[in-house]
Amino acid sequence: HRDLHSFPTRRSSDLGQLQPGSAIHWDAGVQLADAAAGQPSDGHLAIDVGARPDRIDVDVRMPASPGGNGSLAAELVLAGNRLPLGGLGEALARTSGAIDFDWRFGDLRWLDGVVARAPWLRLDGSGNVVASLRLLQGRLAEGSKVDIPELAVQADVLGDELVGSGHASGGLVASGHASVPRLQVELD
């Protein structure tokens, strides 16, 4: 289901610029790979885009579905009303707002890059990542939080390898005049 509203004719110099009041609504079923079983699962995705004189509002919703990987909700604002035709980098630099998700990943090893300052620590296995991210001009902002309720952990400490299960939580916290990342991993 798609709805397009109010795209008036413009001069060629205004191509790529949304008129205030312009709106796009996209609502569709989607098929996602199931992290646990490797089987596809059906989901639902809705995206609403609305133009204002000085910004583009983007709302994305993917509610949890039976047998699905999780849920996603994002309320984002792109500064200016020009479409980000220059790619993801241009769009991200103009983006502020909130992204909340609870998602099951089949492999948590991609998080190793997040803990780059602790190369002796590896996160492994599958698990849920529950995040409440805040963006300010394309950068993670103070108040962003991430929780991983269950995860497999491997740590190399003084030549010994420790293997176990645990949980992790972290986020960006205030420290003096800047926000700094904080990650706490606890073994069960």
Side-chain angles (χ1 to χ4, degrees), residues 2-181:
R2 295 173 300 276
D3 295 320
L4 302 175
H5 299 288
S6 163
F7 281 97
T9 304
R10 301 281 306 215
R11 299 182 314 261
S12 61
S13 63
D14 291 333
L15 287 177
Q17 187 167 334
L18 292 178
Q19 286 293 297
S22 298
I24 300 171
H25 174 76
W26 186 70
D27 190 22
V30 293
Q31 194 170 63
L32 305 164
D34 186 312
Q39 299 290 327
S41 64
D42 293 328
H44 181 85
L45 177 66
I47 301 173
D48 290 302
V49 178
R52 297 181 183 249
D54 60 345
R55 70 181 201 233
I56 300 171
D57 295 329
V58 179
D59 292 327
V60 179
R61 293 171 308 287
M62 186 183 310
S65 61
N69 291 22
S71 62
L72 167 75
E75 294 181 7
L76 304 170
V77 174
L78 277 76
N81 61 359
R82 185 166 297 281
L83 290 172
L85 301 175
L88 184 59
E90 176 194 345
L92 190 57
R94 296 172 37 203
T95 302
S96 297
I99 302 171
D100 297 305
F101 66 88
D102 181 343
W103 204 264
R104 179 155 191 82
F105 291 91
D107 188 346
L108 294 174
R109 282 181 276 170
W110 61 272
L111 289 169
D112 287 348
V114 175
V115 291
R117 292 188 179 179
W120 49 270
L121 177 66
R122 291 184 308 282
L123 307 179
D124 206 358
S126 64
N128 280 31
V129 176
V130 181
S132 181
L133 306 177
R134 303 298 170 250
L135 294 175
L136 184 59
Q137 297 175 339
R139 295 180 179 253
L140 281 177
E142 186 177 312
S144 294
K145 296 183 236 176
V146 176
D147 290 304
I148 306 170
E150 297 178 33
L151 59 98
V153 179
Q154 292 181 330
D156 295 317
V157 180
L158 299 173
D160 289 325
E161 182 177 75
L162 304 172
V163 178
S165 62
H167 56 275
S169 62
L172 282 179
V173 296
S175 177
H177 296 290
S179 296
V180 295

